[in-house]
Amino acid sequence: MKKHILIGILMCSWAGILHAQEINLARFENIVKSLKLDKTRIKGEFCTEKKMPNAEDSYIAVLPILQGKEEEDFFVVRNYIVITDENGAIKNQYVDPVEITSDAIMLRSIAIDTGLYTISNGIRAFGVKVSVQNGSQPNPYSSETISLYYPAGKTLKKVLNEFELSNYSAEWDTRCTGEAEDNHSLIMMDKTKTNNFTDLKIKTISIAKNSKEVNGDCKENETSKTSYRILKFKNGKYH
């Protein structure tokens, strides 16, 4: 009887963690079973799932798996990325080789982006975004990166690795005086192609701010510039 109660408590606990990330518990359980994962090594609060808009009965799920020991404010994960059917049967699976470290710069979220990344004829990629942030008030820092993948056979092909979409950094006295830099990038499909893959046009808006106290008032100055660049597909990846 006690064993059944314990299992029920654990199931409820996982349901609560996974609900926050909008991942179906039944599919999650089937994924864990199919991959033979140790559930104690999964960072449940960062698990996430999203339906593929361009494929019937297909769901993308990301499960971050702990690497090594987890300490109070430190852990390292690698993402298991799968595509499943409605019941959680795995169609594609991929273990990302990139290790994500959460330490002084803390992991804040992992999200799936199913935007219109039509990178070649009949190939639509999806993104996995990773957001990090520190906890410093005088020197705040945050960043968000995206990696792009597409289904190939029973696995996934990774075509863009940790491209930085945004970053923010500042140094100030926590009252007024200081400076900050805020950059945001947008990925657009260009009209040109390289090696039969659509070039990615990157639009970046960079905002620089500085402020100082003048006669008791906080005066702020802001400048902005917009730049463009192209990422081309070479040797299996965008560069």
Side-chain angles (χ1 to χ4, degrees):
M1 183 67 179
K2 289 182 179 179
K3 183 179 179 181
H4 290 300
I5 292 173
L6 178 59
I7 292 173
I9 291 172
L10 291 174
M11 288 291 287
C12 288
S13 176
W14 272 103
I17 292 171
L18 297 174
H19 177 71
Q21 289 294 319
E22 296 182 352
I23 184 168
N24 179 272
L25 183 58
R27 277 194 293 272
F28 171 80
E29 293 290 345
N30 286 333
I31 292 168
V32 171
K33 184 178 180 181
S34 296
L35 295 178
K36 298 179 180 179
L37 297 175
D38 179 354
K39 200 178 285 188
T40 65
R41 307 299 298 166
I42 302 172
K43 290 293 288 180
E45 64 269 37
F46 296 109
C47 289
T48 187
E49 176 188 66
K50 197 168 187 179
K51 192 177 187 307
M52 292 185 74
N54 59 315
E56 191 174 340
D57 191 26
S58 295
Y59 298 80
I60 305 163
V62 179
L63 281 65
I65 310 298
L66 283 168
Q67 309 295 301
K69 291 184 178 180
E70 179 179 14
E71 299 177 10
E72 185 177 355
D73 295 315
F74 172 84
F75 63 85
V76 177
V77 295
R78 287 175 66 188
N79 284 334
Y80 274 59
I81 307 171
V82 297
I83 297 175
T84 75
D85 65 13
E86 188 173 359
N87 295 318
I90 295 174
K91 300 179 180 181
N92 307 78
Q93 64 182 74
Y94 178 79
V95 182
D96 200 305
V98 172
E99 292 188 338
I100 303 168
T101 300
S102 184
D103 195 1
I105 307 298
M106 298 167 285
L107 176 61
R108 287 303 187 194
S109 68
I110 296 174
I112 298 166
D113 181 356
T114 55
L116 284 171
Y117 299 114
T118 305
I119 57 175
S120 189
N121 291 334
I123 298 178
R124 177 171 167 176
F126 65 88
V128 175
K129 294 180 177 178
V130 175
S131 298
V132 298
Q133 181 180 327
N134 70 3
S136 173
Q137 189 175 5
N139 298 100
Y141 170 83
S142 63
S143 172
E144 182 178 65
T145 61
I146 187 171
S147 297
L148 293 179
Y149 312 80
Y150 72 86
K154 293 185 178 181
T155 184
L156 301 171
K157 292 288 187 182
K158 186 178 187 180
V159 292
L160 182 64
N161 184 50
E162 295 187 296
F163 178 79
E164 191 167 53
L165 287 174
S166 66
N167 68 70
Y168 175 83
S169 60
E171 183 176 354
W172 68 309
D173 62 4
T174 72
R175 295 185 302 276
C176 172
T177 304
E179 55 188 26
E181 186 173 335
D182 194 5
N183 300 297
H184 291 272
S185 294
L186 176 66
I187 300 175
M188 300 177 288
M189 302 296 105
D190 201 27
K191 295 179 180 179
T192 58
K193 290 188 175 184
T194 303
N195 297 318
N196 295 319
F197 277 76
T198 304
D199 294 339
L200 303 182
K201 187 175 184 179
I202 310 298
K203 176 183 179 180
T204 302
I205 299 175
S206 301
I207 299 173
K209 299 179 182 179
N210 62 73
S211 57
K212 62 181 179 179
E213 191 172 325
V214 179
N215 298 324
D217 293 327
C218 190
K219 301 294 184 181
E220 185 177 277
N221 181 57
E222 178 179 303
T223 58
S224 175
K225 68 174 183 178
T226 301
S227 59
Y228 295 88
R229 63 179 171 127
I230 298 291
L231 301 183
K232 295 180 179 291
F233 189 83
K234 298 177 181 178
N235 299 318
K237 283 187 170 61
Y238 281 99
H239 302 275

